[in-house]
Amino acid sequence: MPTMEIQIPNTPRAEEIKVLANDAFKAHKYSQAIDLYTQAIELNRENAVYWANRAFAHTKLEEYGSAIQDAATAIEIDPNYSKACLAGYYRRGAAYLAMGKFRDALKDFQMVKKICPNDPDAAKKLKECEKAVMKLKFEEAIAVPHSQRRSVADSIDFHSIGNQRSWELIIAQTFNNSMLKLNEWKNSMDMEGLLVMDLVVGAGPSSSYVPLQVAAVAVAVVLVATLMVVGTKAATLVAVAAVTVVLMAERTCWWSGFSGIFTKSRTLNLDVEPQYTGARIEGDVVTLDFVKKMMDDFKNQKFLHRRYAFQIVLQTRDMLRALPSLVDVAIQDGKHFTVCGDVHGQFYDLLNIFDLNGFPSEDNPYLFNGDFVDRGSFSVEVILTLFAFKCISPSAIHLSRGNHESKSMNKIYGFEGEVRSKLSETFVELFAEVFCCLPLAHVLNEKIFVVHGGLFSVDGVKLSDIKAIDRFCEPPEEGLMCELLWSDPQPNLGRGPSKRGVGLSFGGDVTKRFLQENNLDLVVRSHEVKDEGYEIEHDGKLITVFSAPNYCDQMGNKGAFIRFEAPDMKPRIVTFSTVPHPDVKPMAYANNFLRMFS
């Protein structure tokens, strides 16, 4: 009769390793912490604390899929409302929030509150989660079918200066005054009042692109709810603010629906004030002198006038829309080409890249490989700088879409809030539209495939399949486009589940087959922070490059970029360290609930 080997937990040694893992975590060495927690788990798989701690480390590396799995295991091992079980629900809920899965997160934080009913921190986080879910429901209620959506960019004419209608200004001022007064009374409102107020505030300017009937019905529901749950003064102001939402919706519907009443263009108050001393574009041509002045202003924390920001973004949109989903780039013999990875709103590190490697130009071309924005709190400065160089010379700088060039990520990780703060609500919609125009991948000299994320869940994908993708949309949750933006390499052969919870992990054999089938030599991708700014994997056939040093002011990593020179196109990797920036913390503009868990 065969005997079964019973593994006896080595509890003392596991505890020793857990202490080392905790120390690595405190030193922000999260990959090392994960390896050590894994060793502890292998010695004692029944300790829920190890699983919960590893989930936390995965979260720090944005590996939310792995964090959810580990947190679920911690709950399963110890379901009796212990500290480890509480940590499991908490970690899983935080990971769901980071992925934008608010309803799943709400269930976990309801359990946290049930386990700790008198914990004020648990109550606060549950309240924020409830607000996020309620706001999501409201946004879904007023969402416009894709077939009915109108282009924001097509409705803007930056040449029209100072033509904004006076009654439009009155509506905007009424809304703003109502919001200011509501904020004064916010602390005295109960939970329901706060929720309703946030919904009305969120429905304000952004709802000007929904049909009148939908907006009017949605706002009417909010008004009724407000009058039922909020005090008299607050109800009056919320009602006033909500009515302005209807008026703004009416304005846009009339404007776009009846050409006999209004013109097609959306005129804005874009007067350049006499006291404005910042960078100016003379005519329609963006020049290097303008970009240098703009970057210098940004460096000194001065803003660009919205009139010129509109021009840069709209001109870039026209160029991007004309490109295919996969762009072929030809580099002449003796010429070089630079590929940069994620920048993530770290404007001062972007300036350092230009100091080290020169400005983009016909003789010094760049490809920035996605994730220009979010996390870092100078994302507006980054995106306007990259777009401005694109306006100077389209072939001097190439831009590829990353997973953070999307509404869902921008709403959570700070870009949307930063744009609203530094520019205007209209720019939130405009950037979302322009991001949908970004190409998905590039091929350099028919040899090097450059993509933000990675490869595919099936073999046989050809470059022609990528070129045929209809990219003018928000990224889907599956399929080729999703995998291009989200996938990651793994050390093991074959394919596995994504540690992020989106896309997949792919091995060196997958990389080798893709290159052979498409007659390519190398895959260059970004998407992952690396200690040295880069990592070479899959027998030298895949390089990850990441250009945001000391990511989020805490990872301690270097940044890197890759220079290729034709005709051999061998990669030469340059690494660099972070540079000082003004005392504005990462995620300064992120959603409140995410800052609470950061």
Side-chain angles (χ1 to χ4, degrees):
M1 183 176 179
T3 59
M4 287 184 70
E5 182 179 347
I6 300 175
Q7 185 175 2
I8 300 174
N10 188 344
T11 303
R13 179 56 183 158
E15 282 295 302
E16 292 174 2
I17 295 175
K18 184 197 81 170
V19 172
L20 296 176
N22 291 348
D23 291 340
F25 186 96
K26 293 173 184 176
H28 300 163
K29 298 178 180 179
Y30 302 117
S31 295
Q32 181 182 346
I34 288 171
D35 291 340
L36 289 167
Y37 286 130
T38 301
Q39 293 178 35
I41 287 170
E42 290 171 351
L43 292 172
N44 184 4
R45 301 185 65 84
E46 299 304 313
N47 191 317
V49 172
Y50 303 162
W51 295 92
N53 286 2
R54 192 172 72 173
F56 196 14
H58 278 304
T59 299
K60 290 293 186 178
L61 292 180
E62 302 178 18
E63 298 171 354
Y64 302 120
S66 297
I68 289 168
Q69 292 177 356
D70 280 356
T73 302
I75 296 168
E76 182 181 346
I77 290 172
D78 192 355
N80 297 318
Y81 296 172
S82 67
K83 184 177 180 180
C85 175
L86 173 64
Y89 282 116
Y90 190 95
R91 304 298 180 218
R92 190 171 67 180
Y96 278 136
L97 276 178
M99 295 176 68
K101 296 185 176 181
F102 303 124
R103 291 182 175 90
D104 292 323
L106 179 60
K107 296 175 184 177
D108 279 336
F109 286 110
Q110 286 170 339
M111 287 301 300
V112 172
K113 184 66 165 61
K114 181 178 179 181
I115 296 170
C116 300
N118 298 319
D119 185 340
D121 185 62
K124 184 178 180 181
K125 288 178 169 57
L126 175 61
K127 187 176 292 186
E128 286 297 323
C129 200
E130 288 172 338
K131 288 168 65 176
V133 170
M134 201 165 179
K135 190 168 186 177
L136 178 65
K137 290 179 179 178
F138 183 79
E139 290 171 350
E140 290 173 349
I142 65 171
V144 184
H146 190 270
S147 60
Q148 298 179 23
R149 293 175 186 168
R150 298 180 179 88
S151 167
V152 180
D154 289 344
S155 70
I156 298 170
D157 179 9
F158 65 83
H159 295 98
S160 298
I161 306 297
N163 290 328
Q164 190 174 28
R165 294 165 175 80
S166 58
W167 63 270
E168 234 185 341
L169 292 171
I170 294 171
I171 290 174
Q173 189 64 49
T174 302
F175 185 87
N176 290 336
N177 288 342
S178 300
M179 291 305 99
L180 288 172
K181 186 59 68 175
L182 276 172
N183 282 327
E184 292 178 15
W185 293 337
K186 189 172 181 179
N187 291 333
S188 64
M189 292 185 189
D190 58 11
M191 178 62 194
E192 290 79 5
L194 286 169
L195 289 173
V196 172
M197 191 192 84
D198 281 354
L199 294 183
V200 173
V201 173
S206 63
S207 66
S208 60
Y209 302 105
V210 304
L212 170 62
Q213 294 90 341
V214 177
V217 170
V219 172
V221 171
V222 174
L223 277 170
V224 173
T226 301
L227 292 170
M228 292 174 62
V229 300
V230 186
T232 304
K233 289 193 295 184
T236 302
L237 278 174
V238 173
V240 171
V243 167
T244 65
V245 174
V246 176
L247 289 174
M248 284 187 280
E250 286 177 340
R251 175 206 64 194
T252 303
C253 251
W254 289 338
W255 210 326
S256 58
F258 300 97
S259 57
I261 300 176
F262 295 118
T263 61
K264 181 181 178 183
S265 297
R266 184 182 190 204
T267 52
L268 299 164
N269 185 21
L270 296 177
D271 273 331
V272 180
E273 299 81 3
Q275 64 268 29
Y276 174 73
T277 60
R280 294 172 181 260
I281 301 174
E282 300 299 334
D284 289 342
V285 179
V286 178
T287 65
L288 181 59
D289 286 341
F290 163 79
V291 176
K292 287 180 178 179
K293 167 64 173 168
M294 180 185 71
M295 290 190 298
D296 191 57
D297 287 346
F298 286 161
K299 189 175 180 180
N300 294 304
Q301 295 186 271
K302 298 178 181 178
F303 295 148
L304 179 68
H305 196 282
R306 287 188 302 152
R307 185 253 185 265
Y308 304 121
F310 272 124
Q311 180 171 345
I312 290 168
V313 177
L314 291 171
Q315 288 184 357
T316 302
R317 169 184 176 264
D318 290 342
M319 286 182 278
L320 295 176
R321 276 180 30 167
L323 296 172
S325 291
L326 181 137
V327 178
D328 292 298
V329 180
I331 301 116
Q332 296 179 358
D333 289 357
K335 300 293 185 178
H336 65 268
F337 189 91
T338 301
V339 177
C340 295
D342 303 36
V343 178
H344 273 302
Q346 297 186 194
F347 175 69
Y348 295 84
D349 293 309
L350 175 65
L351 293 182
N352 188 38
I353 291 174
F354 293 151
D355 286 342
L356 295 171
N357 198 57
F359 289 139
S361 68
E362 296 287 345
D363 294 324
N364 189 37
Y366 282 80
L367 165 57
F368 282 85
N369 197 28
D371 280 13
F372 322 119
V373 301
D374 280 339
R375 297 284 188 180
S377 295
F378 302 95
S379 293
V380 166
E381 290 82 350
V382 166
I383 198 65
L384 288 177
T385 297
L386 297 179
F387 280 7
F389 275 114
K390 187 74 174 174
C391 292
I392 293 176
S393 174
S395 60
I397 186 166
H398 301 267
L399 303 170
S400 191
R401 193 173 191 175
N403 62 300
H404 275 267
E405 277 71 57
S406 65
K407 282 185 179 180
S408 59
M409 293 292 101
N410 298 160
K411 188 179 294 291
I412 297 172
Y413 290 98
F415 183 60
E416 182 178 300
E418 184 181 343
V419 170
R420 192 175 285 116
S421 174
K422 294 179 179 178
L423 293 169
S424 72
E425 185 74 29
T426 303
F427 275 96
V428 173
E429 296 290 330
L430 181 58
F431 276 118
E433 188 173 308
V434 176
F435 286 164
C436 291
C437 301
L438 288 163
L440 303 177
H442 294 72
V443 174
L444 312 182
N445 274 13
E446 301 181 344
K447 292 183 178 182
I448 298 165
F449 180 71
V450 187
V451 66
H452 179 73
L455 300 182
F456 311 102
S457 55
V458 295
D459 290 332
V461 176
K462 299 298 178 58
L463 297 181
S464 57
D465 298 321
I466 301 170
K467 193 166 288 189
I469 295 173
D470 181 4
R471 71 184 188 276
F472 297 98
C473 62
E474 288 301 310
E477 294 189 2
E478 59 184 10
L480 297 185
M481 182 173 172
C482 170
E483 291 162 0
L484 285 165
L485 300 180
W486 280 96
S487 294
D488 296 291
Q490 65 179 20
N492 300 326
L493 297 179
R495 296 177 172 91
S498 169
K499 57 192 176 184
R500 300 174 187 270
V502 188
L504 73 147
S505 297
F506 60 94
D509 55 332
V510 176
T511 300
K512 182 178 179 181
R513 287 195 297 272
F514 173 78
L515 293 173
Q516 288 176 341
E517 291 169 354
N518 289 282
N519 196 27
L520 298 166
D521 295 340
L522 178 69
V523 173
V524 175
R525 44 90 62 178
S526 303
H527 196 38
E528 286 185 280
V529 60
K530 298 296 181 181
D531 288 344
E532 295 301 314
Y534 73 98
E535 186 172 358
I536 302 174
E537 303 172 77
H538 294 180
D539 297 324
K541 295 296 184 182
L542 183 145
I543 302 176
T544 297
V545 60
F546 192 84
S547 302
N550 194 28
Y551 181 45
C552 292
D553 283 359
Q554 65 173 345
M555 298 299 289
N557 61 289
K558 292 181 180 178
F561 54 83
I562 307 175
R563 283 173 62 102
F564 296 94
E565 186 167 336
D568 63 8
M569 298 298 286
K570 299 298 183 185
R572 183 171 73 85
I573 300 172
V574 179
T575 63
F576 57 95
S577 298
T578 192
V579 296
H581 64 75
D583 189 21
V584 181
K585 303 300 181 186
M587 308 283 283
Y589 301 93
N591 265 340
N592 183 51
F593 63 79
L594 192 62
R595 290 200 303 272
M596 292 171 65
F597 295 96
S598 297

